[in-house]
Amino acid sequence: MSVSFAQMQQETPGVFTEACPSRTVLDHVMSKWGVLVLLSLTDGTRRWGELRRSVDGISEKMLATTLRTLAADGIVERTSYPEVPPRVEYSLTPLGVELMERVMPLMTWIQANAEEIVSR
């Protein structure tokens, strides 16, 4: 590991404490649905239906809430086109791309080790 938790706390006093904004970001990004939506968007721009199909098990309400939250955080961009019928597309912002460059190694590790961990 390059940086320890103690080093993070020393560099930024109060980091990850109850009132720290980092907890909000962790909640939004690392929630089950948040991370799965973000993973889906690493493949490129997607429309609502594509996201709904790619994130198996997510309800329409939870997808809408998750996308709204990630867009408000500046991680996902929502682009609406004035067409009939309306077309809306979602993609990662530059901040979202940067985030997923860091999250993907974790997701690769989880994919490789999930069965062993769950079978214990």
Side-chain angles (χ1 to χ4, degrees), residues 88-110:
V88 178
E89 295 180 340
Y90 299 90
S91 60
L92 294 174
T93 64
L95 187 63
V97 170
E98 185 180 346
L99 167 67
M100 293 312 291
E101 287 171 353
R102 287 155 175 78
V103 170
M104 287 306 290
L106 171 63
M107 300 315 296
T108 301
W109 182 89
I110 290 171

Side-chain angles (χ1 to χ4, degrees), residues 1 5 17 19-20 28 44 48 58 63-64 67 69 100 103 111 114 118:
M1 268 189 266
F5 183 59
T17 60
C20 182
H28 294 175
W48 173 270
I58 193 169
L63 179 57
L67 287 168
T69 298
M100 293 312 291
V103 170
Q111 176 188 14
V118 171

Side-chain angles (χ1 to χ4, degrees), residues 8 38 45 98:
M8 292 174 110
L38 291 169
T45 299
E98 185 180 346

